Amino acid sequence: MTLSGTTSSFTMTSSKGPCGVSDGVFACGKDITASSFAAATSGSSLLVTYTGSSAFSSTGVPSGTTVYTVYTGSSHAQDYTLSIVSA
């Protein structure tokens, strides 16, 4: 994952393409329009935020080849935060 910009406004690009949010769904891919994200500190962690919130969620826990759609906000069963760490 590559982040480009500043802590207050950056875009993310994965090996599959840009990452963005559309209709509350977070995704990355060649057909995705990049969204602007920001970073926020939480203790010793640096978290990805979208429109001021660091909450992301899905309807289940990914395992093996099982994947779930990731949504912004915490309105689904499994809550996530996305941490920024250096390679």
Side-chain angles (χ1 to χ4, degrees):
M1 183 77 71
T2 301
L3 280 60
S4 301
T6 66
T7 55
S8 59
S9 179
F10 61 85
T11 57
M12 296 189 287
T13 304
S14 75
S15 59
K16 295 185 176 191
C19 300
V21 176
S22 180
D23 295 328
V25 174
F26 172 82
C28 302
K30 64 181 181 66
D31 297 325
I32 302 296
T33 300
S35 294
S36 180
F37 299 90
T41 56
S42 176
S44 61
S45 298
L46 193 58
L47 304 180
V48 174
T49 68
Y50 179 73
T51 64
S53 173
S54 63
F56 294 84
S57 60
S58 68
T59 57
V61 179
S63 176
T65 58
T66 304
V67 296
Y68 291 91
T69 300
V70 175
Y71 300 91
T72 56
S74 57
S75 59
H76 295 84
Q78 182 65 43
D79 292 332
Y80 302 95
T81 55
L82 305 179
S83 296
I84 301 169
V85 296
S86 61

